[in-house]
């Protein structure tokens, strides 16, 4: 068993969100020009809510922060309510003083998506690399849209969503048929270059993936388990997501 991940088990979703927000806020206070990698989905919503509160009540300043999102559905317009562009602006960016010129989200409508992926990698490099990357985890162990079997050295690219992910994400759509089958996603290699990583998970349906991530052998079949090879990863999970861990710290 490899023990490089720092594991924090908290009571519930709210505490997970607060803990994550306090890490993000500390990093921003240390470095006003922080390059922040961001995720979408149900997991980070509470984190964004708490960061918005900190901006309003504690003057947490995002004006110098650059952001890079992990992924976007291929084919969705930024105005589409199911797009990750829409998600990020409506759940976070519109409520803090982030400079829109500093916001980067993969372009799901890029004319040449493969060329866009190369350009996205270039933009991350140009920004000096990601200082702090926030991650959620799929019930199948995916990080960003790196599904099981993704290569450890993969870069930003067009990916196919797994059947499991399509089923999991159908809850955000009217019908499962509407869930896009492809996305642009940062690669595992891209994510592993972030200086610091915080992975969040809440709820019973993440318990298996968390047990494999934290206590399993690192394998491309469980992409999040590859994070064990990174030097600075903090995993913050609530009790339900921690419920299949054999050892609790
Ligand atoms: C989203 C992303 C995905 C999600 C994961 C969990 O940008 O990269 O890997 O983090 O699918 O999604 P939720 O939080 O909705 O359970």
């Amino acid at each position: 068993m490899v023990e490089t991940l720092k594991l924090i088990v908290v009571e519930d979703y709210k505490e997970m969100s607060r803990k994550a927000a306090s890490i993000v806020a500390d990093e921003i206070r240390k470095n006003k020009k922080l390059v922040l990698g961001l995720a979408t989905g149900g997991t980070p919503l509470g984190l964004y809510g708490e960061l918005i509160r900190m901006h309003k009540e504690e003057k947490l300043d995002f004006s110098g922060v650059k952001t890079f999102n992990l992924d976007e559905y291929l084919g969705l317009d930024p105005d589409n309510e199911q797009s990750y562009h829409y998600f990020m602006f409506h759940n976070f960016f519109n409520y803090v003083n982030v400079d829109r010129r500093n916001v980067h989200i993969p372009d799901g409508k890029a004319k040449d998506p493969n060329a866009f992926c190369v350009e996205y990698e270039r933009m991350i490099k140009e920004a000096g690399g990601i200082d702090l990357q926030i991650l959620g985890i799929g019930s199948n162990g995916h990080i960003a849209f790196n599904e099981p079997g993704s290569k450890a050295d993969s870069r930003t690219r067009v990916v196919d969503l797994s059947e499991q992910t399509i089923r999991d994400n159908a809850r955000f759509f009217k019908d499962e048929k509407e869930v896009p089958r492809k996305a642009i996603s940062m690669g595992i290699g891209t994510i592993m270059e972030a200086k610091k990583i915080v992975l969040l998970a809440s709820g019973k349906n993440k318990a298996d993936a968390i047990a494999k991530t934290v206590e399993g052998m690192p394998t491309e079949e469980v992409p999040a388990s590859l994070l064990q090879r990174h030097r600075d990863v903090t995993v913050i999970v609530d009790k339900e997501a921690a419920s299949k861990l054999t050892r609790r710290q």
Side-chain angles (χ1 to χ4, degrees):
M1 197 179 314
V2 194
E3 304 208 29
T4 52
L5 304 176
K6 181 176 178 214
L7 176 69
I8 302 176
V9 181
V10 296
E11 194 58 35
D12 55 18
Y13 181 80
K14 203 169 181 181
E15 207 184 328
M16 176 200 76
S17 305
R18 282 204 189 129
K19 183 88 206 145
S22 78
I23 293 174
V24 174
D26 281 351
E27 293 299 315
I28 294 175
R29 288 184 185 119
K30 274 193 260 168
N31 174 11
K32 278 179 140 328
K33 295 190 168 176
L34 193 79
V35 181
L36 185 56
L38 296 174
T40 55
T43 308
L45 272 177
L47 158 65
Y48 296 143
E50 182 63 9
L51 288 174
I52 292 166
R53 187 198 64 73
M54 288 172 139
H55 169 65
K56 297 211 164 108
E57 293 175 12
E58 298 167 18
K59 309 243 176 311
L60 183 63
D61 179 15
F62 291 86
S63 61
V65 173
K66 281 201 173 97
T67 68
F68 285 90
N69 265 78
L70 287 168
D71 40 23
E72 175 61 288
Y73 290 119
L74 198 69
L76 293 195
D77 199 82
D79 295 335
N80 186 310
E81 288 185 21
Q82 314 295 352
S83 76
Y84 287 170
H85 273 81
Y86 189 95
F87 176 100
M88 287 308 299
F89 279 94
H90 288 264
N91 291 301
F92 187 41
F93 296 142
N94 286 347
Y95 304 99
V96 293
N97 65 334
V98 70
D99 182 339
R100 283 173 187 227
R101 289 168 302 183
N102 288 339
V103 167
H104 307 84
I105 306 174
D107 180 1
K109 291 290 267 186
K111 281 211 182 75
D112 181 343
N114 294 324
F116 177 83
C117 293
V118 173
E119 173 62 9
Y120 203 63
E121 290 275 338
R122 194 199 58 76
M123 288 192 286
I124 294 172
K125 273 216 176 74
E126 191 180 78
I130 291 170
D131 294 309
L132 170 61
Q133 176 67 58
I134 303 298
L135 295 176
I137 182 170
S139 63
N140 61 0
H142 75 207
I143 45 175
F145 278 134
N146 295 288
E147 300 288 19
S150 298
K151 294 278 168 256
D153 61 357
S154 52
R155 312 299 310 186
T156 304
R157 68 204 184 289
V158 175
V159 295
D160 292 307
L161 304 193
S162 72
E163 285 306 316
Q164 179 69 53
T165 297
I166 291 165
R167 276 198 302 276
D168 285 351
N169 288 7
R171 69 189 197 278
F172 298 114
F173 292 79
K174 280 194 212 96
D175 192 287
E176 194 177 304
K177 287 197 204 84
E178 284 180 23
V179 184
R181 267 43 185 174
K182 285 181 186 290
I184 292 177
S185 175
M186 274 190 209
I188 297 174
T190 321
I191 292 168
M192 291 294 276
E193 281 169 14
K195 290 167 197 111
K196 186 180 182 69
I197 296 176
V198 172
L199 180 134
L200 307 176
S202 160
K204 277 201 188 76
N205 69 324
K206 301 294 172 70
D208 266 325
I210 286 297
K212 289 178 184 156
T213 297
V214 176
E215 296 182 342
M217 287 299 289
T219 164
E220 287 172 349
E221 290 316 308
V222 183
S225 68
L226 298 169
L227 296 170
Q228 291 178 18
R229 297 181 181 153
H230 191 281
R231 269 184 295 132
D232 187 356
V233 179
T234 303
V235 177
I236 309 175
V237 292
D238 66 9
K239 281 192 165 157
E240 289 190 347
S243 60
K244 294 202 173 158
L245 291 170
T246 53
R247 297 161 307 118
R248 300 278 288 278
Q249 45 8 357

